[in-house]
Amino acid sequence: MSLVIEELNDTNCKTYLLASSGEAVLVDPVRERVERYHRLLEQRGLRLKYIIETHTHADHLMVNRQLKERLGAPLLMHRESPIPTVDEHLHDGQPVGFGDQQIEVLHTPGHTADSVCLRVGDSVLTGDTLLIGGSGRTDFPGGDAGSQYDAVVGRLFSLPDETTVWPAHDYKGRTSSTIGEERRTNPRFLDKTRDQYVAQMASLGLPFPDKIQEALQVNQSGFESGEVAFAQVPDVAAIPEVEAPELARRLGGAAPPLILDVREPEEFVGELGHIEGALLVPMDAIEKRLPKLIGYADRAVVVACRAGARSASAAAILQRAGFHDVGNLQGGMLAWTRAGLAVQR
Ligand SMILES: [Fe+2]
């Protein structure tokens, strides 16, 4: 049995190469470094089997379609991920094999809804869920401090003490820790109840990272800034969120809203399906189709996507273009199907 775990960036923001018996997995690659990763894999004679993102990042640009093709491996993320370029969705407990090793996927929401930790060999890659002496912030969209407490205290801290912890970030030059060390000394969790943890996370008052809006919109949509005219934060914040059951009720009423689905065609007919009667206009076609869509400007419109991120941007574009009554399906088709509502494929 062979397993090599290596951090590749030597910066605050970490990318891991997992290698075993000629096969490799790249975890949390950073866009600007793709050529270096590619060279390294070639030099080592490793075949890249998977790219895994531990969550949707807000602080750096993730690998886009083109670079994913350059690396030549499918992208795996948890099924709560909003990102349309994901090739395979992961669920809690799923085994992911490479070489003679098997990664166990642990769904650990909190930093984001799609956060996972990856357990492999005697190690666990903790993403931004558990950091050395810290934990990932929970004030970004989809963050939830209570869930993070449950994930760390309830799950990670029950792994064997000697398990090596490899975080996605460290701002003090540290490389790894252990579960036992974190359980005994991590001040975020030490002697804290769940409520105390939630209160602590709510009072951190951290500044938002530079370019968070751009990073999130590009990462979540799978499109580049140039391909789509992304709406800015204040617009997005002004879009009313419509919960799935409420939308279902309105669709059955006298003046049903138009559902505008902004996912990719393959998602529209894919695993999650779509809402009956929904009009498909992928995110990157919205601008171009505005002259036609403007005919619906006086009608109530609810925009939908996978997880509610792309649709929030699209809804803001429509609102700016003069749509009077535009809402965003909260949580997207993930929330719609979770509510047990009917779909077509
Ligand atoms: Fe993060």
Side-chain angles (χ1 to χ4, degrees), residues 55 57 111 128 169:
H55 61 287
H57 300 277
H111 175 59
D128 283 358
H169 285 288

Side-chain angles (χ1 to χ4, degrees), residues 24 48-51 67-75 87:
L48 186 64
K49 193 166 180 198
Y50 300 116
I51 302 165
L67 293 172
K68 193 177 68 168
E69 274 161 35
R70 172 78 178 133
L71 288 167
L75 173 63
D87 297 289

Side-chain angles (χ1 to χ4, degrees), residues 25-299:
V25 176
L26 203 50
V27 180
D28 292 333
V30 172
R31 187 181 286 194
E32 294 76 22
R33 292 174 179 256
V34 163
E35 280 310 312
R36 289 188 227 188
Y37 304 145
H38 193 263
R39 269 201 307 278
L40 184 77
L41 290 163
E42 271 188 354
Q43 282 165 4
R44 305 255 179 103
L46 291 168
R47 185 180 85 81
L48 186 64
K49 193 166 180 198
Y50 300 116
I51 302 165
I52 304 181
E53 298 282 4
T54 56
H55 61 287
T56 301
H57 300 277
D59 61 344
H60 66 261
L61 291 176
M62 295 163 69
V63 169
N64 60 11
R65 283 169 217 272
Q66 198 187 351
L67 293 172
K68 193 177 68 168
E69 274 161 35
R70 172 78 178 133
L71 288 167
L75 173 63
L76 276 50
M77 284 188 79
H78 188 264
R79 67 185 308 278
E80 289 290 329
S81 165
I83 299 178
T85 50
V86 172
D87 297 289
E88 192 188 327
H89 287 108
L90 303 170
H91 57 81
D92 185 56
Q94 185 167 337
V96 177
F98 71 105
D100 57 29
Q101 297 292 318
Q102 205 154 64
I103 297 169
E104 182 193 0
V105 175
L106 307 174
H107 184 212
T108 51
H111 175 59
T112 61
D114 62 1
S115 287
V116 293
C117 294
L118 305 173
R119 196 177 173 201
V120 58
D122 297 328
S123 289
V124 61
L125 276 62
T126 54
D128 283 358
T129 298
L130 175 64
L131 305 178
I132 300 173
S135 60
R137 59 195 296 171
T138 53
D139 55 342
F140 290 164
D144 183 87
S147 305
Q148 189 172 53
Y149 183 89
D150 298 339
V152 173
V153 176
R155 300 200 67 187
L156 295 180
F157 283 178
S158 63
L159 297 176
D161 270 10
E162 60 277 14
T163 309
T164 307
V165 169
W166 303 96
H169 285 288
D170 191 82
Y171 302 95
K172 294 181 181 166
R174 296 164 298 190
T175 53
S176 68
S177 175
T178 64
I179 287 292
E181 177 79 11
E182 294 309 313
R183 195 167 43 70
R184 285 188 300 271
T185 65
N186 191 315
R188 283 270 169 92
F189 300 97
L190 194 63
D191 297 329
K192 291 215 171 57
T193 64
R194 191 179 195 272
D195 286 348
Q196 286 168 334
Y197 182 77
V198 171
Q200 164 190 245
M201 295 308 279
S203 67
L204 290 180
L206 299 168
F208 268 34
D210 290 348
K211 297 192 174 172
I212 176 179
Q213 181 73 3
E214 185 197 350
L216 270 181
Q217 286 186 330
V218 169
N219 288 341
Q220 290 176 339
S221 72
F223 295 110
E224 304 306 311
S225 308
E227 289 178 300
V228 172
F230 286 118
Q232 294 307 303
V233 178
D235 295 332
V236 173
I239 304 295
E241 298 271 314
V242 183
E243 289 184 12
E246 161 72 6
L247 178 58
R249 198 186 55 71
R250 284 174 61 187
L251 286 171
L258 173 74
I259 309 292
L260 189 66
D261 193 316
V262 298
R263 291 174 298 164
E264 298 295 285
E266 59 272 21
E267 295 179 273
F268 193 72
V269 294
E271 172 208 5
L272 295 173
H274 58 265
I275 299 169
E276 184 182 356
L279 179 65
L280 174 66
V281 182
M283 185 71 193
D284 63 339
I286 295 263
E287 290 290 303
K288 207 169 60 204
R289 299 262 300 268
L290 266 179
K292 280 192 176 164
L293 290 172
I294 206 76
Y296 296 110
D298 291 323
R299 190 168 161 191

